mmCIF file with all atom_site columns, all heavy atoms in Angstrom:
data_model
loop_
_atom_site.group_PDB
_atom_site.id
_atom_site.type_symbol
_atom_site.label_atom_id
_atom_site.label_alt_id
_atom_site.label_comp_id
_atom_site.label_asym_id
_atom_site.label_entity_id
_atom_site.label_seq_id
_atom_site.pdbx_PDB_ins_code
_atom_site.Cartn_x
_atom_site.Cartn_y
_atom_site.Cartn_z
_atom_site.occupancy
_atom_site.B_iso_or_equiv
_atom_site.pdbx_formal_charge
_atom_site.auth_seq_id
_atom_site.auth_comp_id
_atom_site.auth_asym_id
_atom_site.auth_atom_id
_atom_site.pdbx_PDB_model_num
ATOM 1   N N   . ASP A 1 1  ? 0.817   -1.207 0.001  1.00 94.00 ? 1  ASP A N   1
ATOM 2   C CA  . ASP A 1 1  ? -0.078  0.042  -0.025 1.00 94.00 ? 1  ASP A CA  1
ATOM 3   C C   . ASP A 1 1  ? 0.888   1.220  0.014  1.00 94.00 ? 1  ASP A C   1
ATOM 4   O O   . ASP A 1 1  ? 1.301   1.734  1.021  1.00 94.00 ? 1  ASP A O   1
ATOM 5   C CB  . ASP A 1 1  ? -0.877  -0.062 1.191  1.00 94.00 ? 1  ASP A CB  1
ATOM 6   C CG  . ASP A 1 1  ? -2.088  1.087  1.154  1.00 94.00 ? 1  ASP A CG  1
ATOM 7   O OD1 . ASP A 1 1  ? -1.924  1.985  0.278  1.00 94.00 ? 1  ASP A OD1 1
ATOM 8   O OD2 . ASP A 1 1  ? -3.096  0.776  1.842  1.00 94.00 ? 1  ASP A OD2 1
ATOM 9   N N   . GLY A 1 2  ? 1.182   1.781  -1.146 1.00 94.00 ? 2  GLY A N   1
ATOM 10  C CA  . GLY A 1 2  ? 2.132   2.779  -1.332 1.00 94.00 ? 2  GLY A CA  1
ATOM 11  C C   . GLY A 1 2  ? 1.607   4.218  -0.757 1.00 94.00 ? 2  GLY A C   1
ATOM 12  O O   . GLY A 1 2  ? 2.322   5.066  -0.635 1.00 94.00 ? 2  GLY A O   1
ATOM 13  N N   . ARG A 1 3  ? 0.305   4.213  -0.467 1.00 95.00 ? 3  ARG A N   1
ATOM 14  C CA  . ARG A 1 3  ? -0.209  5.430  0.070  1.00 95.00 ? 3  ARG A CA  1
ATOM 15  C C   . ARG A 1 3  ? 0.460   5.789  1.400  1.00 95.00 ? 3  ARG A C   1
ATOM 16  O O   . ARG A 1 3  ? 0.355   6.994  1.779  1.00 95.00 ? 3  ARG A O   1
ATOM 17  C CB  . ARG A 1 3  ? -1.725  5.286  0.259  1.00 95.00 ? 3  ARG A CB  1
ATOM 18  C CG  . ARG A 1 3  ? -2.533  5.176  -1.011 1.00 95.00 ? 3  ARG A CG  1
ATOM 19  C CD  . ARG A 1 3  ? -4.025  4.860  -0.635 1.00 95.00 ? 3  ARG A CD  1
ATOM 20  N NE  . ARG A 1 3  ? -4.186  3.794  0.203  1.00 95.00 ? 3  ARG A NE  1
ATOM 21  C CZ  . ARG A 1 3  ? -5.367  3.542  0.828  1.00 95.00 ? 3  ARG A CZ  1
ATOM 22  N NH1 . ARG A 1 3  ? -6.374  4.370  0.744  1.00 95.00 ? 3  ARG A NH1 1
ATOM 23  N NH2 . ARG A 1 3  ? -5.386  2.398  1.720  1.00 95.00 ? 3  ARG A NH2 1
ATOM 24  N N   . PHE A 1 4  ? 0.991   4.830  2.090  1.00 96.00 ? 4  PHE A N   1
ATOM 25  C CA  . PHE A 1 4  ? 1.624   5.045  3.463  1.00 96.00 ? 4  PHE A CA  1
ATOM 26  C C   . PHE A 1 4  ? 2.966   5.474  3.433  1.00 96.00 ? 4  PHE A C   1
ATOM 27  O O   . PHE A 1 4  ? 3.552   5.565  4.556  1.00 96.00 ? 4  PHE A O   1
ATOM 28  C CB  . PHE A 1 4  ? 1.313   3.903  4.303  1.00 96.00 ? 4  PHE A CB  1
ATOM 29  C CG  . PHE A 1 4  ? -0.222  3.781  4.728  1.00 96.00 ? 4  PHE A CG  1
ATOM 30  C CD1 . PHE A 1 4  ? -1.141  3.188  3.926  1.00 96.00 ? 4  PHE A CD1 1
ATOM 31  C CD2 . PHE A 1 4  ? -0.476  4.245  6.054  1.00 96.00 ? 4  PHE A CD2 1
ATOM 32  C CE1 . PHE A 1 4  ? -2.537  3.183  4.394  1.00 96.00 ? 4  PHE A CE1 1
ATOM 33  C CE2 . PHE A 1 4  ? -1.810  4.195  6.401  1.00 96.00 ? 4  PHE A CE2 1
ATOM 34  C CZ  . PHE A 1 4  ? -2.775  3.584  5.610  1.00 96.00 ? 4  PHE A CZ  1
ATOM 35  N N   . ILE A 1 5  ? 3.732   5.684  2.273  1.00 96.00 ? 5  ILE A N   1
ATOM 36  C CA  . ILE A 1 5  ? 5.171   5.844  2.366  1.00 96.00 ? 5  ILE A CA  1
ATOM 37  C C   . ILE A 1 5  ? 5.446   7.222  3.035  1.00 96.00 ? 5  ILE A C   1
ATOM 38  O O   . ILE A 1 5  ? 6.536   7.299  3.522  1.00 96.00 ? 5  ILE A O   1
ATOM 39  C CB  . ILE A 1 5  ? 5.817   5.734  0.936  1.00 96.00 ? 5  ILE A CB  1
ATOM 40  C CG1 . ILE A 1 5  ? 5.134   6.740  0.004  1.00 96.00 ? 5  ILE A CG1 1
ATOM 41  C CG2 . ILE A 1 5  ? 5.619   4.256  0.432  1.00 96.00 ? 5  ILE A CG2 1
ATOM 42  C CD1 . ILE A 1 5  ? 5.907   6.791  -1.328 1.00 96.00 ? 5  ILE A CD1 1
ATOM 43  N N   . HIS A 1 6  ? 4.609   8.183  3.008  1.00 95.00 ? 6  HIS A N   1
ATOM 44  C CA  . HIS A 1 6  ? 4.788   9.359  3.570  1.00 95.00 ? 6  HIS A CA  1
ATOM 45  C C   . HIS A 1 6  ? 4.299   9.588  4.918  1.00 95.00 ? 6  HIS A C   1
ATOM 46  O O   . HIS A 1 6  ? 4.326   10.696 5.564  1.00 95.00 ? 6  HIS A O   1
ATOM 47  C CB  . HIS A 1 6  ? 4.384   10.573 2.778  1.00 95.00 ? 6  HIS A CB  1
ATOM 48  C CG  . HIS A 1 6  ? 5.046   10.604 1.354  1.00 95.00 ? 6  HIS A CG  1
ATOM 49  N ND1 . HIS A 1 6  ? 6.481   10.829 1.311  1.00 95.00 ? 6  HIS A ND1 1
ATOM 50  C CD2 . HIS A 1 6  ? 4.671   10.479 0.104  1.00 95.00 ? 6  HIS A CD2 1
ATOM 51  C CE1 . HIS A 1 6  ? 6.700   10.758 -0.045 1.00 95.00 ? 6  HIS A CE1 1
ATOM 52  N NE2 . HIS A 1 6  ? 5.595   10.639 -0.807 1.00 95.00 ? 6  HIS A NE2 1
ATOM 53  N N   . GLY A 1 7  ? 3.853   8.473  5.550  1.00 95.00 ? 7  GLY A N   1
ATOM 54  C CA  . GLY A 1 7  ? 3.361   8.515  7.001  1.00 95.00 ? 7  GLY A CA  1
ATOM 55  C C   . GLY A 1 7  ? 1.930   8.018  7.183  1.00 95.00 ? 7  GLY A C   1
ATOM 56  O O   . GLY A 1 7  ? 1.243   8.247  6.321  1.00 95.00 ? 7  GLY A O   1
ATOM 57  N N   . VAL A 1 8  ? 1.597   7.331  8.285  1.00 95.00 ? 8  VAL A N   1
ATOM 58  C CA  . VAL A 1 8  ? 0.328   6.988  8.590  1.00 95.00 ? 8  VAL A CA  1
ATOM 59  C C   . VAL A 1 8  ? -0.664  8.189  8.723  1.00 95.00 ? 8  VAL A C   1
ATOM 60  O O   . VAL A 1 8  ? -1.825  7.917  8.521  1.00 95.00 ? 8  VAL A O   1
ATOM 61  C CB  . VAL A 1 8  ? 0.289   6.116  9.848  1.00 95.00 ? 8  VAL A CB  1
ATOM 62  C CG1 . VAL A 1 8  ? 1.139   4.920  9.585  1.00 95.00 ? 8  VAL A CG1 1
ATOM 63  C CG2 . VAL A 1 8  ? 0.742   6.807  11.039 1.00 95.00 ? 8  VAL A CG2 1
ATOM 64  N N   . HIS A 1 9  ? -0.105  9.356  8.977  1.00 94.00 ? 9  HIS A N   1
ATOM 65  C CA  . HIS A 1 9  ? -1.056  10.447 9.082  1.00 94.00 ? 9  HIS A CA  1
ATOM 66  C C   . HIS A 1 9  ? -1.596  10.874 7.835  1.00 94.00 ? 9  HIS A C   1
ATOM 67  O O   . HIS A 1 9  ? -2.568  11.693 7.808  1.00 94.00 ? 9  HIS A O   1
ATOM 68  C CB  . HIS A 1 9  ? -0.205  11.652 9.705  1.00 94.00 ? 9  HIS A CB  1
ATOM 69  C CG  . HIS A 1 9  ? 0.841   12.084 8.991  1.00 94.00 ? 9  HIS A CG  1
ATOM 70  N ND1 . HIS A 1 9  ? 2.080   11.408 8.783  1.00 94.00 ? 9  HIS A ND1 1
ATOM 71  C CD2 . HIS A 1 9  ? 0.885   13.268 8.119  1.00 94.00 ? 9  HIS A CD2 1
ATOM 72  C CE1 . HIS A 1 9  ? 2.853   12.136 7.928  1.00 94.00 ? 9  HIS A CE1 1
ATOM 73  N NE2 . HIS A 1 9  ? 2.191   13.128 7.536  1.00 94.00 ? 9  HIS A NE2 1
ATOM 74  N N   . ALA A 1 10 ? -0.972  10.569 6.731  1.00 90.00 ? 10 ALA A N   1
ATOM 75  C CA  . ALA A 1 10 ? -1.297  11.012 5.353  1.00 90.00 ? 10 ALA A CA  1
ATOM 76  C C   . ALA A 1 10 ? -2.421  10.362 4.704  1.00 90.00 ? 10 ALA A C   1
ATOM 77  O O   . ALA A 1 10 ? -3.053  10.799 3.704  1.00 90.00 ? 10 ALA A O   1
ATOM 78  C CB  . ALA A 1 10 ? -0.111  10.969 4.393  1.00 90.00 ? 10 ALA A CB  1
ATOM 79  N N   . VAL A 1 11 ? -3.007  9.286  5.414  1.00 95.00 ? 11 VAL A N   1
ATOM 80  C CA  . VAL A 1 11 ? -4.033  8.434  4.718  1.00 95.00 ? 11 VAL A CA  1
ATOM 81  C C   . VAL A 1 11 ? -5.101  8.195  5.637  1.00 95.00 ? 11 VAL A C   1
ATOM 82  O O   . VAL A 1 11 ? -4.958  7.738  6.916  1.00 95.00 ? 11 VAL A O   1
ATOM 83  C CB  . VAL A 1 11 ? -3.300  7.061  4.263  1.00 95.00 ? 11 VAL A CB  1
ATOM 84  C CG1 . VAL A 1 11 ? -4.379  6.276  3.449  1.00 95.00 ? 11 VAL A CG1 1
ATOM 85  C CG2 . VAL A 1 11 ? -2.162  7.242  3.390  1.00 95.00 ? 11 VAL A CG2 1
ATOM 86  N N   . ASP A 1 12 ? -6.388  8.405  5.176  1.00 95.00 ? 12 ASP A N   1
ATOM 87  C CA  . ASP A 1 12 ? -7.506  8.086  6.024  1.00 95.00 ? 12 ASP A CA  1
ATOM 88  C C   . ASP A 1 12 ? -7.964  6.514  5.708  1.00 95.00 ? 12 ASP A C   1
ATOM 89  O O   . ASP A 1 12 ? -8.846  6.235  4.946  1.00 95.00 ? 12 ASP A O   1
ATOM 90  C CB  . ASP A 1 12 ? -8.648  8.993  5.588  1.00 95.00 ? 12 ASP A CB  1
ATOM 91  C CG  . ASP A 1 12 ? -9.943  8.754  6.440  1.00 95.00 ? 12 ASP A CG  1
ATOM 92  O OD1 . ASP A 1 12 ? -9.657  8.100  7.492  1.00 95.00 ? 12 ASP A OD1 1
ATOM 93  O OD2 . ASP A 1 12 ? -11.063 9.275  6.041  1.00 95.00 ? 12 ASP A OD2 1
ATOM 94  N N   . ALA A 1 13 ? -7.253  5.771  6.391  1.00 96.00 ? 13 ALA A N   1
ATOM 95  C CA  . ALA A 1 13 ? -7.339  4.227  6.380  1.00 96.00 ? 13 ALA A CA  1
ATOM 96  C C   . ALA A 1 13 ? -6.845  3.571  7.532  1.00 96.00 ? 13 ALA A C   1
ATOM 97  O O   . ALA A 1 13 ? -5.985  4.202  8.287  1.00 96.00 ? 13 ALA A O   1
ATOM 98  C CB  . ALA A 1 13 ? -6.831  3.748  5.172  1.00 96.00 ? 13 ALA A CB  1
ATOM 99  N N   . PRO A 1 14 ? -7.299  2.372  7.951  1.00 96.00 ? 14 PRO A N   1
ATOM 100 C CA  . PRO A 1 14 ? -6.721  1.669  9.121  1.00 96.00 ? 14 PRO A CA  1
ATOM 101 C C   . PRO A 1 14 ? -5.231  1.597  9.097  1.00 96.00 ? 14 PRO A C   1
ATOM 102 O O   . PRO A 1 14 ? -4.612  1.496  8.044  1.00 96.00 ? 14 PRO A O   1
ATOM 103 C CB  . PRO A 1 14 ? -7.388  0.382  9.076  1.00 96.00 ? 14 PRO A CB  1
ATOM 104 C CG  . PRO A 1 14 ? -8.612  0.536  8.224  1.00 96.00 ? 14 PRO A CG  1
ATOM 105 C CD  . PRO A 1 14 ? -8.255  1.551  7.332  1.00 96.00 ? 14 PRO A CD  1
ATOM 106 N N   . ILE A 1 15 ? -4.517  1.811  10.296 1.00 97.00 ? 15 ILE A N   1
ATOM 107 C CA  . ILE A 1 15 ? -3.157  1.627  10.280 1.00 97.00 ? 15 ILE A CA  1
ATOM 108 C C   . ILE A 1 15 ? -2.814  0.196  10.804 1.00 97.00 ? 15 ILE A C   1
ATOM 109 O O   . ILE A 1 15 ? -2.928  -0.284 12.022 1.00 97.00 ? 15 ILE A O   1
ATOM 110 C CB  . ILE A 1 15 ? -2.571  2.670  11.527 1.00 97.00 ? 15 ILE A CB  1
ATOM 111 C CG1 . ILE A 1 15 ? -2.919  4.050  11.043 1.00 97.00 ? 15 ILE A CG1 1
ATOM 112 C CG2 . ILE A 1 15 ? -1.034  2.464  11.517 1.00 97.00 ? 15 ILE A CG2 1
ATOM 113 C CD1 . ILE A 1 15 ? -2.613  5.033  12.105 1.00 97.00 ? 15 ILE A CD1 1
ATOM 114 N N   . THR A 1 16 ? -2.505  -0.516 9.812  1.00 96.00 ? 16 THR A N   1
ATOM 115 C CA  . THR A 1 16 ? -2.112  -1.923 9.974  1.00 96.00 ? 16 THR A CA  1
ATOM 116 C C   . THR A 1 16 ? -0.621  -2.156 10.315 1.00 96.00 ? 16 THR A C   1
ATOM 117 O O   . THR A 1 16 ? 0.026   -1.204 10.150 1.00 96.00 ? 16 THR A O   1
ATOM 118 C CB  . THR A 1 16 ? -2.549  -2.729 8.785  1.00 96.00 ? 16 THR A CB  1
ATOM 119 O OG1 . THR A 1 16 ? -1.657  -2.440 7.683  1.00 96.00 ? 16 THR A OG1 1
ATOM 120 C CG2 . THR A 1 16 ? -4.008  -2.653 8.363  1.00 96.00 ? 16 THR A CG2 1
ATOM 121 N N   . PHE A 1 17 ? -0.214  -3.260 10.613 1.00 96.00 ? 17 PHE A N   1
ATOM 122 C CA  . PHE A 1 17 ? 1.223   -3.585 10.992 1.00 96.00 ? 17 PHE A CA  1
ATOM 123 C C   . PHE A 1 17 ? 2.085   -3.321 9.797  1.00 96.00 ? 17 PHE A C   1
ATOM 124 O O   . PHE A 1 17 ? 3.125   -2.738 9.822  1.00 96.00 ? 17 PHE A O   1
ATOM 125 C CB  . PHE A 1 17 ? 1.283   -5.076 11.345 1.00 96.00 ? 17 PHE A CB  1
ATOM 126 C CG  . PHE A 1 17 ? 2.662   -5.407 11.806 1.00 96.00 ? 17 PHE A CG  1
ATOM 127 C CD1 . PHE A 1 17 ? 3.204   -5.238 13.139 1.00 96.00 ? 17 PHE A CD1 1
ATOM 128 C CD2 . PHE A 1 17 ? 3.574   -6.067 10.919 1.00 96.00 ? 17 PHE A CD2 1
ATOM 129 C CE1 . PHE A 1 17 ? 4.455   -5.642 13.479 1.00 96.00 ? 17 PHE A CE1 1
ATOM 130 C CE2 . PHE A 1 17 ? 4.849   -6.495 11.266 1.00 96.00 ? 17 PHE A CE2 1
ATOM 131 C CZ  . PHE A 1 17 ? 5.280   -6.294 12.580 1.00 96.00 ? 17 PHE A CZ  1
ATOM 132 N N   . ASP A 1 18 ? 1.660   -3.898 8.619  1.00 97.00 ? 18 ASP A N   1
ATOM 133 C CA  . ASP A 1 18 ? 2.346   -3.668 7.389  1.00 97.00 ? 18 ASP A CA  1
ATOM 134 C C   . ASP A 1 18 ? 2.367   -2.248 6.954  1.00 97.00 ? 18 ASP A C   1
ATOM 135 O O   . ASP A 1 18 ? 3.497   -1.744 6.638  1.00 97.00 ? 18 ASP A O   1
ATOM 136 C CB  . ASP A 1 18 ? 1.687   -4.548 6.197  1.00 97.00 ? 18 ASP A CB  1
ATOM 137 C CG  . ASP A 1 18 ? 1.916   -5.977 6.505  1.00 97.00 ? 18 ASP A CG  1
ATOM 138 O OD1 . ASP A 1 18 ? 2.958   -6.405 6.930  1.00 97.00 ? 18 ASP A OD1 1
ATOM 139 O OD2 . ASP A 1 18 ? 0.772   -6.742 6.274  1.00 97.00 ? 18 ASP A OD2 1
ATOM 140 N N   . ARG A 1 19 ? 1.285   -1.448 7.035  1.00 97.00 ? 19 ARG A N   1
ATOM 141 C CA  . ARG A 1 19 ? 1.304   -0.025 6.606  1.00 97.00 ? 19 ARG A CA  1
ATOM 142 C C   . ARG A 1 19 ? 2.110   0.755  7.606  1.00 97.00 ? 19 ARG A C   1
ATOM 143 O O   . ARG A 1 19 ? 2.807   1.708  7.107  1.00 97.00 ? 19 ARG A O   1
ATOM 144 C CB  . ARG A 1 19 ? -0.105  0.354  6.596  1.00 97.00 ? 19 ARG A CB  1
ATOM 145 C CG  . ARG A 1 19 ? -0.997  -0.165 5.532  1.00 97.00 ? 19 ARG A CG  1
ATOM 146 C CD  . ARG A 1 19 ? -2.369  0.158  5.715  1.00 97.00 ? 19 ARG A CD  1
ATOM 147 N NE  . ARG A 1 19 ? -3.249  -0.187 4.538  1.00 97.00 ? 19 ARG A NE  1
ATOM 148 C CZ  . ARG A 1 19 ? -4.545  -0.144 4.496  1.00 97.00 ? 19 ARG A CZ  1
ATOM 149 N NH1 . ARG A 1 19 ? -5.205  0.193  5.594  1.00 97.00 ? 19 ARG A NH1 1
ATOM 150 N NH2 . ARG A 1 19 ? -5.204  -0.516 3.408  1.00 97.00 ? 19 ARG A NH2 1
ATOM 151 N N   . ALA A 1 20 ? 2.224   0.464  8.852  1.00 97.00 ? 20 ALA A N   1
ATOM 152 C CA  . ALA A 1 20 ? 3.060   1.186  9.697  1.00 97.00 ? 20 ALA A CA  1
ATOM 153 C C   . ALA A 1 20 ? 4.549   0.997  9.472  1.00 97.00 ? 20 ALA A C   1
ATOM 154 O O   . ALA A 1 20 ? 5.199   1.977  9.437  1.00 97.00 ? 20 ALA A O   1
ATOM 155 C CB  . ALA A 1 20 ? 2.869   0.737  11.204 1.00 97.00 ? 20 ALA A CB  1
ATOM 156 N N   . LEU A 1 21 ? 4.949   -0.150 9.172  1.00 97.00 ? 21 LEU A N   1
ATOM 157 C CA  . LEU A 1 21 ? 6.402   -0.359 8.703  1.00 97.00 ? 21 LEU A CA  1
ATOM 158 C C   . LEU A 1 21 ? 6.754   0.262  7.309  1.00 97.00 ? 21 LEU A C   1
ATOM 159 O O   . LEU A 1 21 ? 7.718   0.744  7.007  1.00 97.00 ? 21 LEU A O   1
ATOM 160 C CB  . LEU A 1 21 ? 6.653   -1.874 8.607  1.00 97.00 ? 21 LEU A CB  1
ATOM 161 C CG  . LEU A 1 21 ? 6.621   -2.562 9.957  1.00 97.00 ? 21 LEU A CG  1
ATOM 162 C CD1 . LEU A 1 21 ? 6.860   -4.136 9.776  1.00 97.00 ? 21 LEU A CD1 1
ATOM 163 C CD2 . LEU A 1 21 ? 7.570   -2.001 10.938 1.00 97.00 ? 21 LEU A CD2 1
ATOM 164 N N   . THR A 1 22 ? 5.672   0.320  6.451  1.00 97.00 ? 22 THR A N   1
ATOM 165 C CA  . THR A 1 22 ? 5.829   0.992  5.100  1.00 97.00 ? 22 THR A CA  1
ATOM 166 C C   . THR A 1 22 ? 6.236   2.381  5.279  1.00 97.00 ? 22 THR A C   1
ATOM 167 O O   . THR A 1 22 ? 6.919   2.943  4.509  1.00 97.00 ? 22 THR A O   1
ATOM 168 C CB  . THR A 1 22 ? 4.621   0.884  4.349  1.00 97.00 ? 22 THR A CB  1
ATOM 169 O OG1 . THR A 1 22 ? 4.417   -0.534 4.041  1.00 97.00 ? 22 THR A OG1 1
ATOM 170 C CG2 . THR A 1 22 ? 4.674   1.619  3.014  1.00 97.00 ? 22 THR A CG2 1
ATOM 171 N N   . SER A 1 23 ? 5.583   3.092  6.285  1.00 97.00 ? 23 SER A N   1
ATOM 172 C CA  . SER A 1 23 ? 5.677   4.496  6.490  1.00 97.00 ? 23 SER A CA  1
ATOM 173 C C   . SER A 1 23 ? 6.976   4.905  6.945  1.00 97.00 ? 23 SER A C   1
ATOM 174 O O   . SER A 1 23 ? 7.302   6.178  6.946  1.00 97.00 ? 23 SER A O   1
ATOM 175 C CB  . SER A 1 23 ? 4.672   4.878  7.601  1.00 97.00 ? 23 SER A CB  1
ATOM 176 O OG  . SER A 1 23 ? 5.002   4.459  8.971  1.00 97.00 ? 23 SER A OG  1
ATOM 177 N N   . THR A 1 24 ? 8.012   3.987  7.230  1.00 97.00 ? 24 THR A N   1
ATOM 178 C CA  . THR A 1 24 ? 9.343   4.402  7.643  1.00 97.00 ? 24 THR A CA  1
ATOM 179 C C   . THR A 1 24 ? 10.248  4.737  6.460  1.00 97.00 ? 24 THR A C   1
ATOM 180 O O   . THR A 1 24 ? 11.317  5.238  6.448  1.00 97.00 ? 24 THR A O   1
ATOM 181 C CB  . THR A 1 24 ? 10.084  3.439  8.373  1.00 97.00 ? 24 THR A CB  1
ATOM 182 O OG1 . THR A 1 24 ? 10.258  2.213  7.668  1.00 97.00 ? 24 THR A OG1 1
ATOM 183 C CG2 . THR A 1 24 ? 9.305   2.988  9.618  1.00 97.00 ? 24 THR A CG2 1
ATOM 184 N N   . TRP A 1 25 ? 9.678   4.510  5.241  1.00 97.00 ? 25 TRP A N   1
ATOM 185 C CA  . TRP A 1 25 ? 10.416  4.603  3.967  1.00 97.00 ? 25 TRP A CA  1
ATOM 186 C C   . TRP A 1 25 ? 11.017  5.993  3.827  1.00 97.00 ? 25 TRP A C   1
ATOM 187 O O   . TRP A 1 25 ? 12.194  6.139  3.351  1.00 97.00 ? 25 TRP A O   1
ATOM 188 C CB  . TRP A 1 25 ? 9.311   4.402  2.798  1.00 97.00 ? 25 TRP A CB  1
ATOM 189 C CG  . TRP A 1 25 ? 9.907   4.593  1.440  1.00 97.00 ? 25 TRP A CG  1
ATOM 190 C CD1 . TRP A 1 25 ? 10.555  3.710  0.709  1.00 97.00 ? 25 TRP A CD1 1
ATOM 191 C CD2 . TRP A 1 25 ? 9.630   5.734  0.512  1.00 97.00 ? 25 TRP A CD2 1
ATOM 192 N NE1 . TRP A 1 25 ? 10.743  4.189  -0.649 1.00 97.00 ? 25 TRP A NE1 1
ATOM 193 C CE2 . TRP A 1 25 ? 10.226  5.545  -0.620 1.00 97.00 ? 25 TRP A CE2 1
ATOM 194 C CE3 . TRP A 1 25 ? 9.122   7.078  0.734  1.00 97.00 ? 25 TRP A CE3 1
ATOM 195 C CZ2 . TRP A 1 25 ? 10.262  6.424  -1.743 1.00 97.00 ? 25 TRP A CZ2 1
ATOM 196 C CZ3 . TRP A 1 25 ? 9.157   8.014  -0.262 1.00 97.00 ? 25 TRP A CZ3 1
ATOM 197 C CH2 . TRP A 1 25 ? 9.666   7.607  -1.473 1.00 97.00 ? 25 TRP A CH2 1
#
């Protein structure tokens, strides 16, 4: 889910384990 690369705050969607790790990019 590339929407989360700029942080979990940037997307109105559930913050899952995978998405949280993606956000460190």
Side-chain angles (χ1 to χ4, degrees):
D1 194 337
R3 298 177 300 166
F4 282 83
I5 60 173
H6 294 299
V8 295
H9 64 285
V11 186
D12 184 15
I15 302 171
T16 65
F17 184 86
D18 295 319
R19 288 168 171 173
L21 294 179
T22 295
S23 71
T24 64
W25 178 85

